[in-house]
Amino acid sequence: MRHYLVVSDVMTKDVVTVTEDTPFKTVAGLLAEHHISAMPVRDAYGRVTGVVSESDLLRKEAKQRPGRLHRTARAKADAVTAGQLMTSPAVTIEGGCTLDEAARLMAARGITRLVVMDGAELVGIVSRSDLLSAYVASDQEILARVHRDVVDRHLWDDPQAVEVAVQEGVVTLTGQVERRSTVAFATTLVEGVDGVVAVHNKLTWRLDDTARTPGGIFY
């Protein structure tokens, strides 16, 4: 059973879209009416071909100011339809991807939202603020996730030997485990739990299985 959050858990599912021939003023009106900052753009066949955002529309404002515009910016400033305004192609992601994967894709592409697809079907849109919703979880919720997803599932040797405390999203692990390698493993696993801000690992160990023998072999 899946316990971690994925894109489909936090995305906006009721997506407002426009077509490539939607006029500039209609695009601006829809953004204002629905209190959104961007919309996917579809072609005549319903396929998503791009995204039009507030920043695309504001290119026209920049046109009225002194100074030269880059050719792409100039084209957007002269645009009169969504198809001319949009950024294309749309950067997409599948709904089953993790929030970490979505965040890394946004950072790599320098964007603030992704179009969510299920194959060729548009199913949602996810923004940076949507991804941050994972951190709204209470300390009690995070504590339950750490026990369920890490302690009970992976520290099976003696889960009762590990104590977990959570304050403001920061997880502290105390207790003693059998092997030293488990300590670093536990940190990695807890860092991957949705809502965790940081991990303070104070676990100790009985056996140092990371040490080398005289022959250079780990035991």
Side-chain angles (χ1 to χ4, degrees):
M1 180 181 295
R2 174 175 65 82
H3 296 300
Y4 56 88
L5 295 175
V6 295
V7 169
S8 61
D9 293 322
V10 301
M11 70 183 184
T12 298
K13 297 177 181 177
D14 296 325
V15 183
V16 180
T17 66
V18 291
T19 57
E20 292 179 346
D21 59 356
T22 301
F24 180 102
K25 290 193 68 174
T26 301
V27 173
L30 286 170
L31 291 175
E33 177 185 350
H34 294 279
H35 305 287
I36 54 179
S37 60
M39 296 179 291
V41 181
R42 298 179 185 268
D43 65 12
Y45 300 97
R47 297 172 299 197
V48 176
T49 53
V51 174
V52 61
S53 68
E54 291 174 329
S55 61
D56 293 323
L57 272 68
L58 289 174
R59 300 287 188 183
K60 195 168 290 292
E61 177 69 19
K63 179 182 177 181
Q64 300 173 7
R65 299 178 181 274
R68 300 181 62 181
L69 292 176
H70 185 273
R71 183 169 56 183
T72 301
R74 169 63 63 179
K76 287 182 181 288
D78 292 335
V80 295
T81 65
Q84 296 168 339
L85 285 163
M86 70 182 183
T87 298
S88 181
V91 182
T92 65
I93 193 168
E94 292 286 325
C97 292
T98 65
L99 303 192
D100 179 62
E101 289 173 318
R104 284 190 279 112
L105 180 55
M106 287 183 189
R109 301 297 292 269
I111 55 179
T112 60
R113 67 192 64 81
L114 299 167
V115 175
V116 186
M117 305 293 291
D118 181 5
E121 181 183 359
L122 170 67
V123 293
I125 191 165
V126 64
S127 67
R128 288 190 300 193
S129 60
D130 294 326
L131 301 184
L132 288 173
S133 65
Y135 293 98
V136 179
S138 68
D139 287 344
Q140 289 75 20
E141 289 175 309
I142 295 171
L143 179 64
R145 291 173 184 173
V146 172
H147 273 291
R148 180 189 62 208
D149 298 346
V150 178
V151 178
D152 295 341
R153 295 180 64 188
H154 297 285
L155 304 182
W156 53 81
D157 286 346
D158 189 5
Q160 300 302 319
V162 178
E163 295 185 7
V164 183
V166 184
Q167 184 172 8
E168 297 296 325
V170 178
V171 177
T172 300
L173 302 175
T174 56
Q176 188 175 66
V177 293
E178 183 65 25
R179 298 176 181 275
R180 183 176 183 177
S181 59
T182 303
V183 176
F185 182 53
T187 297
T188 300
L189 291 175
V190 174
E191 286 176 338
V193 173
D194 293 314
V196 171
V197 175
V199 180
H200 293 165
N201 193 334
K202 299 181 180 180
L203 291 172
T204 59
W205 59 89
R206 300 184 186 90
L207 173 66
D208 186 357
D209 59 335
T210 65
R212 291 179 181 270
T213 66
I217 301 174
F218 287 100
Y219 67 90

